[in-house]
Amino acid sequence: LVGGAASLLTFRVGNNTVTTPVYAPANMTDVNFSDTLPTGLLIDTAIAPSTTCTHSSGAPLVLTAVDGTTAISLTGAELAAGATCTVSVYVEGMSPGDYLNVSGRVSGFIGGTEHEGNFAADTILVLAPPIISKAFGAVTIFTGGTTTLSFTITTPNPDTALTGVSFTDTLPAGLIIDASSVVVGSCGGGTITATPGSGAVTLSGATLLATASCTFSVTVEGTTVGTMVNNVTVSADVV
């Protein structure tokens, strides 16, 4: 997972009790568990949490997962003997690191007796996103004049490559790609698009090995007078 992106965290809850004369029927009610994400991970509800669990008639089913917090909980589920259900929540990596997430124990009631089950554990590696810098070749140009605009992208992770490195840089009004511009340099086998006369530079599909960097440049023309501020953000996936 690249920092700032979200990954689906899924819990599978099951009732392993079999129907016996002692537990007949072996339906488990008020099935519940809680989970606290480790520091560095947060709940992301841009895609809503979901569950396949259902509730008993005596208690509502409540799935709690508040955006930007770390607490996940389920209460009030009912499971027949041998049945399973899932709870799915997206989590976002806030800072690089290898995170171990251990849930609380799942529990439920059969025939008025509470039964406590196991806990669940899994790990996720959150990587630092790629870093992009850019620079104009000249601080000042005349209207109709040109200068280079260079981009440098670096992946700071020491052991993991990044794929799908991409960005779109929309030039501010008053700057265009010069009519004679060609791309100088390359970036991880990605496609660089900077159409002469247009106002955008894009990179897509690049792959950068661990700690690698790439640099390329285009030529831009100033079409109006003024101070031009140009910002861009790069994104990536994990190999």
Side-chain angles (χ1 to χ4, degrees):
L1 174 68
V2 178
S7 179
L8 184 64
L9 173 62
T10 299
F11 303 87
R12 185 175 300 277
V13 183
N15 176 7
N16 293 327
T17 306
V18 296
T19 300
T20 68
V22 178
Y23 300 122
N27 284 4
M28 183 172 285
T29 61
D30 195 22
V31 177
N32 66 89
F33 76 89
S34 62
D35 180 63
T36 301
L37 300 175
T39 301
L41 299 178
L42 291 177
I43 295 166
D44 182 351
T45 59
I47 301 176
S50 62
T51 181
T52 62
C53 301
T54 58
H55 66 85
S56 59
S57 58
L61 178 72
V62 179
L63 170 57
T64 302
V66 178
D67 189 62
T69 67
T70 60
I72 302 166
S73 65
L74 176 77
T75 60
E78 180 173 358
L79 287 169
T84 62
C85 66
T86 59
V87 172
S88 298
V89 179
Y90 277 88
V91 298
E92 181 179 358
M94 305 306 297
S95 57
D98 198 2
Y99 297 98
L100 171 64
N101 179 212
V102 181
S103 74
R105 292 184 181 274
V106 64
S107 66
F109 288 82
I110 298 176
T113 301
E114 184 175 13
H115 296 262
E116 187 176 66
N118 67 324
F119 57 83
D122 202 2
T123 60
I124 187 169
L125 175 62
V126 178
L127 300 174
I131 299 168
I132 187 169
S133 62
K134 59 191 304 184
F136 290 103
V139 176
T140 304
I141 59 173
F142 290 106
T143 302
T146 63
T147 187
T148 56
L149 173 59
S150 62
F151 301 86
T152 298
I153 302 171
T154 302
T155 175
N157 302 293
D159 301 310
T160 308
L162 296 178
T163 187
V165 178
S166 62
F167 72 83
T168 297
D169 181 19
T170 301
L171 301 177
L175 286 180
I176 62 171
I177 306 298
D178 184 61
S180 62
S181 177
V182 294
V183 176
V184 177
S186 61
C187 188
T191 300
I192 302 168
T193 303
T195 305
S198 73
V201 180
T202 64
L203 169 70
S204 62
T207 297
L208 291 179
L209 300 179
T211 66
S213 65
C214 66
T215 299
F216 64 91
S217 65
V218 298
T219 302
V220 296
E221 176 188 350
T223 60
T224 60
V225 175
T227 300
M228 313 301 177
V229 179
N230 186 205
N231 298 311
V232 66
T233 301
V234 66
S235 63
D237 302 317
V238 182
V239 170

